[in-house]
Amino acid sequence: MNKTALKKFAMDSREKLIEDIKNKARLIGITEEGIEDPLLESNTDMKVFDIGEMDTHRISGDDVRKYNRLIEELKKRQEESNYKTAYKTLIEEIAYTWFNRIIAIRFMEVNNYMPDRMRVLSSGRQGVREPEFITYYRDTDIGITEDEFKKLDELKLDGSAKAMDEMFQFMFIKQCNALNKNLPELFEKTDDYAELLLTISYNDTEGVIYKLIEDIKEDPFDIEKTGQIEIIGWLYQYYNEVPRDQVINIYRGNVKKEDIPAATQLFTTEWVVKYMVENSLGKYWLERNPDSNLKAHMDYLMPGEIEYIDEKISPEDIKVFDNAMGSGHILIYAFELLMKIYLE
């Protein structure tokens, strides 16, 4: 696993996502300086915004509802801190949400975990950049209505990079919402302001999707080849490296509430995970079951005699508590060790 490449990708992705979301927000009058009201020609079903140089930007239909939700959220956060903090944290939160989902979907598609077994970000074919679910969009099962299919037909017939990216963004959001059924905590319903501010492309050579496919490749995500999911943890940690460094360097002590995640979220590497779990859960079992063969499976168990504890306990009595679980890396290995205990 090339961690240098992972770090560059994650840090560049954070910068790109935040900048794209800021640009999208600017089109609807939202900047770091404040919120500009829509132009007077706006109504309840359509909002028109002045974007300078004698030009305007319009949103209509469901996007107006999302816009109203965005304004509500900003004002709510402003009451808890101030506008600039509200703006900054909301933009960064939306960027991080989409980054998490992009990485999760990449992991799932490489390992053929997607519910309809169709790739979302890539084609799986050498030299073909168009994602598989764009090529076979009418074969997907992600909640697209017939009217929406007609719109997608028009975009596919157009075939321009702009039209294809519009099609991709629409279907990507649909796919994320469909995955809510399988992974509700990661893919919460996003039919709100998070969708309104998303800009995503598979054609943009500087975009997150293109860089993910071309610079990181598939092998680090392939569970058959790597046998682990460390890449997800490393990407999350590298994504947060810039804000963490900023927080640590600025405060050198007390950290503001909104900056606690950036300052404290660290990825635990594979060998450290095994060391921790084997010398807690594994040792606990061996202390009560000296004849257990579990020891043969634990390379990181501390050497020396294990003191026998005369206490009968069944596997069902054991509970594992990780009070800082992050992506659940420690719990996954604890599960593997518990499986060995149950089988024994």
Side-chain angles (χ1 to χ4, degrees), residues 223-303:
I223 208 77
E224 294 283 330
K225 294 181 179 179
T226 61
Q228 43 73 33
I229 58 165
E230 276 201 36
I231 187 170
I232 295 178
W234 282 119
L235 285 171
Y236 290 169
Q237 175 157 320
Y238 290 142
Y239 183 97
N240 286 309
E241 190 145 309
V242 171
R244 182 172 61 254
D245 288 347
Q246 290 173 343
V247 168
I248 292 171
N249 291 333
I250 289 171
Y251 299 117
R252 299 187 184 279
N254 293 334
V255 176
K256 290 182 180 178
K257 177 183 176 181
E258 63 267 20
D259 292 323
I260 288 175
T264 61
Q265 288 179 351
L266 295 168
F267 176 63
T268 311
T269 56
E270 184 81 4
W271 76 268
V272 176
V273 167
K274 290 185 175 181
Y275 172 85
M276 293 169 67
V277 175
E278 289 174 8
N279 288 283
S280 54
L281 171 62
K283 185 180 178 184
Y284 182 85
W285 180 255
L286 290 175
E287 286 172 338
R288 290 154 181 81
N289 296 273
D291 297 327
S292 170
N293 191 44
L294 188 65
K295 191 173 184 178
H297 300 285
M298 300 193 296
D299 296 330
Y300 295 92
L301 182 68
M302 288 291 285

Coordinates of all heavy atoms in Angstrom, one line a residue, residues 223-303:
I223 N -10.1 -6.8 -1.2 CA -10.0 -7.6 0.1 C -9.3 -8.9 -0.2 O -8.6 -9.5 0.6 CB -11.3 -7.8 0.7 CG1 -11.2 -8.0 2.2 CG2 -12.1 -8.9 0.1 CD1 -11.0 -6.8 3.0
E224 N -9.4 -9.4 -1.5 CA -8.8 -10.7 -1.8 C -7.3 -10.6 -1.9 O -6.6 -11.5 -1.6 CB -9.3 -11.1 -3.2 CG -10.8 -11.5 -3.2 CD -11.1 -12.8 -2.6 OE1 -10.2 -13.7 -2.7 OE2 -12.2 -13.0 -2.1
K225 N -6.8 -9.4 -2.3 CA -5.4 -9.2 -2.5 C -4.7 -8.6 -1.2 O -3.6 -9.0 -0.9 CB -5.1 -8.2 -3.6 CG -5.5 -8.8 -5.0 CD -5.2 -7.9 -6.1 CE -5.6 -8.5 -7.4 NZ -5.4 -7.6 -8.6
T226 N -5.4 -7.8 -0.4 CA -4.8 -7.2 0.7 C -5.2 -7.9 2.0 O -4.5 -7.8 3.0 CB -5.2 -5.7 0.9 OG1 -6.6 -5.6 1.0 CG2 -4.7 -4.9 -0.4
G227 N -6.4 -8.5 2.0 CA -6.8 -9.2 3.2 C -7.2 -8.3 4.4 O -7.3 -8.8 5.5
Q228 N -7.4 -7.0 4.2 CA -7.7 -6.1 5.3 C -8.4 -4.8 4.7 O -8.5 -4.7 3.5 CB -6.5 -5.7 6.1 CG -5.3 -5.4 5.3 CD -5.3 -4.1 4.6 OE1 -5.9 -3.2 5.1 NE2 -4.6 -4.0 3.5
I229 N -8.9 -4.0 5.6 CA -9.6 -2.8 5.2 C -8.8 -1.5 5.6 O -9.4 -0.5 5.8 CB -11.0 -2.8 5.6 CG1 -11.1 -2.8 7.1 CG2 -11.8 -3.9 5.0 CD1 -12.5 -2.5 7.7
E230 N -7.5 -1.7 5.9 CA -6.8 -0.5 6.4 C -6.9 0.7 5.5 O -6.8 1.8 6.1 CB -5.3 -0.9 6.6 CG -5.0 -1.6 7.9 CD -3.5 -1.5 8.3 OE1 -2.9 -0.5 8.0 OE2 -3.0 -2.5 8.8
I231 N -7.0 0.5 4.2 CA -7.0 1.7 3.4 C -8.1 2.7 3.7 O -7.8 3.9 3.7 CB -7.2 1.3 1.9 CG1 -7.0 2.5 1.0 CG2 -8.5 0.6 1.6 CD1 -6.9 2.2 -0.5
I232 N -9.2 2.3 4.2 CA -10.3 3.2 4.6 C -9.9 4.0 5.8 O -10.0 5.3 5.8 CB -11.6 2.4 4.9 CG1 -12.1 1.7 3.6 CG2 -12.7 3.3 5.5 CD1 -13.3 0.9 3.8
G233 N -9.3 3.4 6.8 CA -8.8 4.1 8.0 C -7.7 5.1 7.6 O -7.7 6.3 8.1
W234 N -6.8 4.7 6.8 CA -5.7 5.6 6.4 C -6.2 6.8 5.6 O -5.8 8.0 5.8 CB -4.6 4.9 5.6 CG -3.7 4.0 6.4 CD1 -3.6 2.7 6.3 CD2 -2.8 4.5 7.4 NE1 -2.6 2.2 7.2 CE2 -2.2 3.3 7.9 CE3 -2.6 5.7 8.0 CZ2 -1.2 3.4 9.0 CZ3 -1.6 5.8 9.0 CH2 -1.0 4.6 9.5
L235 N -7.2 6.6 4.7 CA -7.7 7.7 3.9 C -8.4 8.7 4.8 O -8.3 9.9 4.7 CB -8.7 7.2 2.9 CG -8.0 6.6 1.6 CD1 -9.0 5.9 0.8 CD2 -7.2 7.6 0.9
Y236 N -9.2 8.2 5.8 CA -9.9 9.1 6.7 C -8.9 9.9 7.6 O -9.1 11.1 7.8 CB -10.8 8.3 7.7 CG -12.0 7.7 7.0 CD1 -12.8 6.7 7.7 CD2 -12.4 8.0 5.7 CE1 -13.9 6.2 7.1 CE2 -13.5 7.4 5.1 CZ -14.3 6.5 5.8 OH -15.4 6.0 5.2
Q237 N -7.8 9.2 8.0 CA -6.9 10.0 8.8 C -6.1 11.0 8.0 O -6.0 12.2 8.5 CB -5.8 9.0 9.4 CG -4.7 9.7 10.2 CD -4.0 8.9 11.2 OE1 -4.7 8.1 11.9 NE2 -2.7 9.0 11.3
Y238 N -5.7 10.7 6.8 CA -5.0 11.6 6.0 C -5.9 12.8 5.6 O -5.5 13.9 5.4 CB -4.4 10.9 4.7 CG -3.3 10.0 5.0 CD1 -3.1 8.8 4.3 CD2 -2.3 10.3 6.0 CE1 -2.1 7.9 4.6 CE2 -1.3 9.5 6.3 CZ -1.2 8.3 5.6 OH -0.1 7.4 5.8
Y239 N -7.2 12.5 5.3 CA -8.1 13.6 5.0 C -8.2 14.6 6.1 O -8.2 15.8 5.8 CB -9.5 13.0 4.8 CG -10.6 13.9 4.4 CD1 -10.9 14.1 3.0 CD2 -11.3 14.7 5.3 CE1 -11.9 15.0 2.6 CE2 -12.2 15.6 4.9 CZ -12.6 15.8 3.6 OH -13.5 16.7 3.2
N240 N -8.1 14.2 7.4 CA -8.2 15.1 8.5 C -6.9 15.6 9.0 O -6.8 16.3 10.0 CB -8.9 14.4 9.7 CG -10.4 14.2 9.4 OD1 -11.1 15.2 9.1 ND2 -10.9 13.0 9.5
E241 N -5.8 15.3 8.3 CA -4.5 15.7 8.7 C -4.3 17.2 8.8 O -3.7 17.7 9.8 CB -3.4 15.1 7.9 CG -2.0 15.2 8.5 CD -1.1 14.0 8.2 OE1 -1.5 12.9 8.5 OE2 0.0 14.3 7.7
V242 N -4.8 17.9 7.8 CA -4.6 19.4 7.7 C -5.4 20.0 8.9 O -4.8 20.8 9.6 CB -5.1 19.9 6.4 CG1 -5.1 21.5 6.4 CG2 -4.1 19.5 5.3
P243 N -6.7 19.8 9.1 CA -7.4 20.4 10.2 C -6.8 20.0 11.5 O -6.8 20.8 12.5 CB -8.8 19.9 10.0 CG -8.8 18.8 9.1 CD -7.6 19.0 8.2
R244 N -6.3 18.8 11.7 CA -5.7 18.3 12.9 C -4.4 19.1 13.2 O -4.3 19.6 14.4 CB -5.4 16.8 12.9 CG -4.8 16.3 14.2 CD -4.7 14.8 14.3 NE -3.8 14.3 13.3 CZ -4.2 13.6 12.2 NH1 -5.4 13.4 12.0 NH2 -3.3 13.2 11.4
D245 N -3.6 19.3 12.2 CA -2.4 20.0 12.4 C -2.7 21.5 12.8 O -2.0 22.1 13.6 CB -1.5 20.0 11.2 CG -0.8 18.6 11.0 OD1 -0.9 17.8 11.9 OD2 -0.3 18.3 9.9
Q246 N -3.7 22.0 12.1 CA -4.1 23.4 12.4 C -4.6 23.6 13.8 O -4.2 24.5 14.5 CB -5.2 23.9 11.4 CG -4.7 24.0 10.0 CD -5.8 24.3 9.0 OE1 -7.0 24.1 9.3 NE2 -5.5 24.8 7.8
V247 N -5.4 22.7 14.3 CA -5.9 22.7 15.6 C -4.8 22.6 16.7 O -4.8 23.4 17.6 CB -7.0 21.6 15.8 CG1 -7.3 21.4 17.3 CG2 -8.2 21.9 15.0
I248 N -4.0 21.6 16.5 CA -2.9 21.4 17.4 C -1.9 22.6 17.5 O -1.5 23.0 18.6 CB -2.1 20.1 17.1 CG1 -3.0 18.9 17.3 CG2 -0.9 20.0 17.9 CD1 -2.5 17.6 16.8
N249 N -1.6 23.1 16.4 CA -0.7 24.3 16.3 C -1.3 25.6 16.9 O -0.6 26.4 17.4 CB -0.2 24.5 14.9 CG 0.7 23.4 14.4 OD1 1.4 22.7 15.2 ND2 0.8 23.1 13.1
I250 N -2.6 25.7 16.7 CA -3.2 27.0 17.1 C -3.4 27.0 18.6 O -3.1 27.9 19.3 CB -4.6 27.1 16.4 CG1 -4.4 27.5 14.9 CG2 -5.4 28.3 17.1 CD1 -5.6 27.5 14.1
Y251 N -4.0 25.9 19.2 CA -4.4 25.9 20.6 C -3.3 25.5 21.5 O -3.2 26.0 22.6 CB -5.6 25.0 20.7 CG -6.8 25.4 19.9 CD1 -7.4 24.7 18.9 CD2 -7.4 26.7 20.2 CE1 -8.4 25.1 18.2 CE2 -8.5 27.1 19.4 CZ -9.0 26.3 18.4 OH -10.1 26.7 17.7
R252 N -2.5 24.5 21.1 CA -1.5 23.9 22.0 C -2.0 23.7 23.4 O -1.4 24.0 24.4 CB -0.3 24.9 22.1 CG 0.4 25.2 20.7 CD 1.6 26.0 20.8 NE 2.2 26.3 19.5 CZ 2.9 25.4 18.8 NH1 3.2 24.2 19.3 NH2 3.4 25.7 17.6
G253 N -3.2 23.2 23.5 CA -3.8 22.9 24.8 C -5.3 22.7 24.7 O -5.7 21.7 24.1
N254 N -6.1 23.6 25.2 CA -7.6 23.5 25.1 C -8.0 23.6 23.6 O -7.5 24.4 22.9 CB -8.3 24.6 25.9 CG -8.0 24.4 27.4 OD1 -7.8 23.3 27.9 ND2 -8.1 25.5 28.2
V255 N -9.0 22.7 23.3 CA -9.5 22.7 21.9 C -11.0 23.0 21.9 O -11.7 22.5 22.8 CB -9.2 21.3 21.3 CG1 -9.8 21.2 19.9 CG2 -7.7 21.0 21.2
K256 N -11.4 23.8 20.9 CA -12.8 24.1 20.9 C -13.6 22.9 20.5 O -13.1 22.0 19.9 CB -13.0 25.2 19.8 CG -12.5 26.6 20.1 CD -12.8 27.5 19.0 CE -12.3 28.9 19.3 NZ -12.6 29.9 18.2
K257 N -14.9 22.9 21.0 CA -15.8 21.8 20.8 C -15.8 21.3 19.4 O -15.7 20.1 19.1 CB -17.2 22.1 21.3 CG -18.2 21.0 21.1 CD -19.6 21.5 21.5 CE -20.6 20.4 21.3 NZ -22.0 20.9 21.6
E258 N -16.0 22.2 18.4 CA -16.1 21.8 17.0 C -14.9 21.3 16.4 O -14.9 20.7 15.3 CB -16.6 23.0 16.2 CG -15.7 24.2 16.1 CD -16.0 25.2 17.2 OE1 -16.6 24.9 18.2 OE2 -15.5 26.4 17.0
D259 N -13.7 21.5 17.1 CA -12.4 21.0 16.6 C -11.9 19.7 17.2 O -10.9 19.2 16.9 CB -11.4 22.1 16.7 CG -11.6 23.3 15.9 OD1 -12.1 23.1 14.7 OD2 -11.4 24.4 16.3
I260 N -12.7 19.2 18.2 CA -12.3 18.0 18.9 C -12.1 16.8 17.9 O -11.1 16.1 18.0 CB -13.3 17.6 20.0 CG1 -13.2 18.6 21.1 CG2 -13.1 16.2 20.5 CD1 -14.2 18.4 22.2
P261 N -13.0 16.5 16.9 CA -12.8 15.4 16.0 C -11.5 15.5 15.3 O -10.7 14.5 15.2 CB -14.0 15.5 15.1 CG -15.1 16.1 15.9 CD -14.3 17.2 16.7
A262 N -11.2 16.7 14.8 CA -10.0 16.9 14.0 C -8.7 16.6 14.8 O -7.7 16.1 14.3 CB -9.9 18.3 13.4
A263 N -8.8 17.0 16.1 CA -7.6 16.9 17.0 C -7.4 15.5 17.5 O -6.3 15.1 17.8 CB -7.7 17.9 18.1
T264 N -8.4 14.7 17.5 CA -8.4 13.4 18.3 C -8.5 12.2 17.4 O -8.2 11.1 17.9 CB -9.4 13.4 19.4 OG1 -10.7 13.5 18.8 CG2 -9.2 14.5 20.4
Q265 N -9.0 12.3 16.2 CA -9.3 11.1 15.4 C -8.0 10.6 14.7 O -7.4 11.2 13.9 CB -10.3 11.4 14.3 CG -11.7 11.5 14.9 CD -12.8 11.8 13.8 OE1 -12.4 12.1 12.7 NE2 -14.0 11.8 14.2
L266 N -7.5 9.4 15.2 CA -6.3 8.8 14.7 C -6.6 7.4 14.3 O -7.3 6.7 15.0 CB -5.2 8.9 15.7 CG -4.7 10.3 16.1 CD1 -3.8 10.2 17.3 CD2 -3.9 10.9 14.9
F267 N -6.0 6.9 13.2 CA -6.3 5.6 12.8 C -5.3 4.6 13.5 O -4.1 4.9 13.6 CB -6.1 5.5 11.3 CG -6.2 4.1 10.7 CD1 -7.4 3.4 10.8 CD2 -5.1 3.5 10.1 CE1 -7.5 2.1 10.4 CE2 -5.2 2.2 9.7 CZ -6.4 1.5 9.8
T268 N -5.8 3.5 14.0 CA -5.0 2.5 14.6 C -4.5 1.5 13.6 O -5.4 0.8 13.0 CB -5.8 1.8 15.8 OG1 -6.4 2.8 16.6 CG2 -4.9 1.0 16.6
T269 N -3.2 1.3 13.5 CA -2.7 0.4 12.5 C -3.0 -1.1 12.9 O -3.3 -1.4 14.0 CB -1.2 0.6 12.3 OG1 -0.6 0.4 13.6 CG2 -0.9 1.9 11.7
E270 N -2.9 -2.0 11.9 CA -3.3 -3.4 12.0 C -2.6 -4.0 13.2 O -3.2 -4.7 14.0 CB -3.0 -4.1 10.7 CG -3.4 -5.6 10.7 CD -4.9 -5.7 10.4 OE1 -5.6 -4.7 10.1 OE2 -5.4 -6.9 10.5
W271 N -1.2 -3.9 13.3 CA -0.5 -4.6 14.3 C -0.8 -4.1 15.7 O -0.9 -4.9 16.7 CB 1.0 -4.5 14.1 CG 1.7 -3.2 14.4 CD1 1.9 -2.2 13.6 CD2 2.2 -2.9 15.7 NE1 2.5 -1.2 14.3 CE2 2.7 -1.6 15.6 CE3 2.3 -3.5 17.0 CZ2 3.3 -0.9 16.6 CZ3 2.9 -2.8 18.0 CH2 3.4 -1.5 17.8
V272 N -1.1 -2.8 15.8 CA -1.5 -2.2 17.1 C -2.9 -2.8 17.5 O -3.1 -3.1 18.7 CB -1.5 -0.7 17.1 CG1 -2.0 -0.1 18.4 CG2 -0.1 -0.2 16.8
V273 N -3.8 -2.9 16.6 CA -5.1 -3.4 16.8 C -5.0 -4.8 17.4 O -5.6 -5.2 18.4 CB -6.0 -3.4 15.5 CG1 -7.2 -4.3 15.7 CG2 -6.4 -2.0 15.2
K274 N -4.2 -5.7 16.7 CA -4.0 -7.0 17.2 C -3.4 -7.1 18.5 O -3.8 -7.9 19.4 CB -3.2 -7.8 16.1 CG -3.9 -8.0 14.8 CD -3.1 -8.9 13.9 CE -4.0 -9.2 12.6 NZ -3.2 -10.1 11.7
Y275 N -2.4 -6.3 18.8 CA -1.7 -6.2 20.1 C -2.8 -5.9 21.2 O -2.8 -6.6 22.2 CB -0.6 -5.2 20.1 CG 0.0 -4.9 21.4 CD1 1.0 -5.7 21.9 CD2 -0.5 -3.9 22.3 CE1 1.6 -5.5 23.2 CE2 0.1 -3.7 23.5 CZ 1.1 -4.5 24.0 OH 1.6 -4.3 25.2
M276 N -3.6 -4.9 21.0 CA -4.6 -4.5 22.0 C -5.6 -5.6 22.2 O -5.9 -5.9 23.4 CB -5.3 -3.2 21.5 CG -4.3 -2.0 21.4 SD -5.1 -0.6 20.6 CE -6.4 -0.2 21.7
V277 N -6.2 -6.1 21.1 CA -7.2 -7.1 21.3 C -6.7 -8.4 21.9 O -7.4 -9.0 22.8 CB -7.9 -7.3 20.0 CG1 -9.0 -8.5 20.1 CG2 -8.6 -6.1 19.5
E278 N -5.6 -8.9 21.4 CA -5.0 -10.1 21.9 C -4.6 -10.1 23.4 O -4.8 -11.1 24.1 CB -3.8 -10.6 21.1 CG -4.3 -11.0 19.7 CD -3.1 -11.3 18.7 OE1 -1.9 -11.3 19.2 OE2 -3.3 -11.5 17.5
N279 N -4.2 -8.9 23.8 CA -3.8 -8.8 25.2 C -4.9 -8.3 26.2 O -4.7 -8.0 27.3 CB -2.6 -7.8 25.3 CG -1.3 -8.5 24.8 OD1 -0.7 -9.3 25.5 ND2 -0.9 -8.1 23.6
S280 N -6.1 -8.2 25.6 CA -7.3 -7.9 26.4 C -8.2 -9.1 26.3 O -8.3 -9.9 27.1 CB -7.9 -6.6 26.0 OG -8.2 -6.6 24.6
L281 N -9.0 -9.1 25.2 CA -9.9 -10.2 25.0 C -9.3 -11.6 25.0 O -9.7 -12.5 25.6 CB -10.7 -10.0 23.6 CG -11.6 -11.1 23.1 CD1 -12.7 -11.4 24.1 CD2 -12.1 -10.7 21.8
G282 N -8.2 -11.7 24.2 CA -7.5 -13.0 24.1 C -7.0 -13.5 25.4 O -7.1 -14.6 25.8
K283 N -6.3 -12.6 26.1 CA -5.7 -12.9 27.4 C -6.8 -13.3 28.4 O -6.7 -14.2 29.2 CB -4.9 -11.8 27.9 CG -4.1 -12.1 29.2 CD -3.3 -10.9 29.7 CE -2.6 -11.3 31.0 NZ -1.8 -10.1 31.6
Y284 N -7.9 -12.5 28.4 CA -9.0 -12.7 29.3 C -9.5 -14.2 29.1 O -9.8 -14.9 30.1 CB -10.1 -11.7 29.0 CG -11.4 -11.8 29.8 CD1 -11.4 -11.2 31.1 CD2 -12.5 -12.6 29.4 CE1 -12.5 -11.2 31.9 CE2 -13.6 -12.6 30.2 CZ -13.6 -12.0 31.4 OH -14.8 -12.1 32.2
W285 N -9.6 -14.7 27.9 CA -10.1 -16.0 27.6 C -9.1 -17.1 28.1 O -9.5 -18.0 28.7 CB -10.4 -16.2 26.2 CG -11.0 -17.5 25.8 CD1 -10.3 -18.6 25.2 CD2 -12.3 -18.1 26.1 NE1 -11.1 -19.7 25.1 CE2 -12.3 -19.4 25.6 CE3 -13.4 -17.5 26.7 CZ2 -13.4 -20.2 25.7 CZ3 -14.5 -18.3 26.8 CH2 -14.5 -19.6 26.3
L286 N -7.8 -16.8 27.8 CA -6.8 -17.8 28.2 C -6.7 -17.9 29.7 O -6.4 -19.0 30.2 CB -5.5 -17.3 27.6 CG -5.3 -17.5 26.1 CD1 -4.0 -16.9 25.6 CD2 -5.5 -18.9 25.6
E287 N -6.9 -16.8 30.4 CA -6.8 -16.8 31.9 C -7.8 -17.8 32.5 O -7.6 -18.4 33.5 CB -7.0 -15.4 32.5 CG -5.8 -14.5 32.3 CD -6.2 -13.0 32.7 OE1 -7.4 -12.7 32.7 OE2 -5.2 -12.3 32.9
R288 N -8.9 -17.9 31.8 CA -10.0 -18.7 32.3 C -10.1 -20.1 31.6 O -10.9 -21.0 32.0 CB -11.4 -18.0 32.2 CG -11.4 -16.8 33.1 CD -12.3 -15.7 32.6 NE -12.4 -14.6 33.6 CZ -11.4 -13.6 33.6 NH1 -10.3 -13.7 32.8 NH2 -11.4 -12.7 34.6
N289 N -9.3 -20.2 30.5 CA -9.3 -21.5 29.8 C -7.9 -21.8 29.4 O -7.5 -21.7 28.2 CB -10.2 -21.3 28.5 CG -11.7 -21.1 28.8 OD1 -12.4 -22.0 29.0 ND2 -12.0 -19.8 28.9
P290 N -7.1 -22.3 30.3 CA -5.7 -22.5 30.1 C -5.4 -23.6 29.0 O -4.3 -23.6 28.5 CB -5.1 -23.0 31.5 CG -6.4 -23.4 32.2 CD -7.5 -22.6 31.7
D291 N -6.3 -24.4 28.7 CA -6.1 -25.5 27.7 C -6.5 -25.0 26.3 O -6.5 -25.8 25.4 CB -6.9 -26.7 28.1 CG -6.4 -27.3 29.4 OD1 -5.2 -27.2 29.7 OD2 -7.2 -27.9 30.2
S292 N -6.9 -23.8 26.2 CA -7.4 -23.3 24.9 C -6.3 -23.2 23.9 O -5.1 -22.9 24.2 CB -8.0 -21.9 25.1 OG -8.3 -21.3 23.9
N293 N -6.7 -23.4 22.7 CA -5.7 -23.4 21.6 C -5.7 -22.0 21.0 O -5.0 -21.7 19.9 CB -6.1 -24.4 20.5 CG -5.0 -24.5 19.4 OD1 -3.8 -24.6 19.8 ND2 -5.3 -24.5 18.2
L294 N -6.4 -21.0 21.6 CA -6.5 -19.7 21.0 C -5.1 -19.0 20.9 O -4.8 -18.2 20.0 CB -7.4 -18.8 21.9 CG -7.7 -17.4 21.4 CD1 -8.5 -17.5 20.1 CD2 -8.4 -16.6 22.5
K295 N -4.2 -19.4 21.8 CA -2.9 -18.8 21.9 C -2.1 -19.0 20.5 O -1.3 -18.1 20.1 CB -2.1 -19.4 23.0 CG -0.8 -18.7 23.3 CD -0.1 -19.3 24.6 CE 1.2 -18.5 24.9 NZ 1.8 -19.0 26.2
A296 N -2.4 -20.1 19.9 CA -1.7 -20.4 18.6 C -2.1 -19.4 17.5 O -1.4 -19.2 16.5 CB -2.0 -21.8 18.2
H297 N -3.2 -18.7 17.7 CA -3.6 -17.7 16.7 C -3.2 -16.3 17.0 O -3.6 -15.4 16.2 CB -5.2 -17.8 16.5 CG -5.7 -19.1 16.2 ND1 -5.6 -19.6 14.9 CD2 -6.3 -20.1 16.9 CE1 -6.2 -20.8 14.9 NE2 -6.6 -21.1 16.1
M298 N -2.5 -16.1 18.1 CA -2.2 -14.7 18.5 C -0.7 -14.4 18.5 O 0.0 -14.8 19.4 CB -2.8 -14.4 19.9 CG -4.3 -14.6 19.9 SD -5.1 -14.0 21.4 CE -4.4 -15.1 22.7
D299 N -0.3 -13.7 17.5 CA 1.1 -13.4 17.3 C 1.6 -12.2 18.2 O 2.8 -12.1 18.4 CB 1.4 -13.0 15.8 CG 1.2 -14.2 14.9 OD1 1.4 -15.3 15.3 OD2 0.8 -13.9 13.7
Y300 N 0.7 -11.4 18.7 CA 1.1 -10.3 19.5 C 0.8 -10.4 21.0 O 0.8 -9.4 21.7 CB 0.4 -9.0 18.9 CG 0.8 -8.7 17.5 CD1 0.2 -9.2 16.4 CD2 2.0 -7.9 17.2 CE1 0.6 -9.0 15.1 CE2 2.4 -7.7 16.0 CZ 1.7 -8.2 14.9 OH 2.1 -7.9 13.6
L301 N 0.5 -11.6 21.4 CA 0.2 -11.8 22.8 C 1.6 -11.6 23.6 O 2.6 -12.2 23.1 CB -0.3 -13.2 23.1 CG -0.6 -13.6 24.5 CD1 -1.8 -12.8 25.0 CD2 -0.9 -15.1 24.6
M302 N 1.6 -10.9 24.6 CA 2.8 -10.7 25.4 C 3.3 -12.0 25.9 O 2.6 -12.8 26.4 CB 2.5 -9.7 26.6 CG 2.3 -8.3 26.1 SD 3.8 -7.5 25.5 CE 4.7 -7.2 27.0
P303 N 4.6 -12.2 25.9 CA 5.2 -13.5 26.3 C 5.2 -13.6 27.9 O 4.9 -12.6 28.6 CB 6.7 -13.4 25.9 CG 7.0 -11.9 25.8 CD 5.7 -11.3 25.3

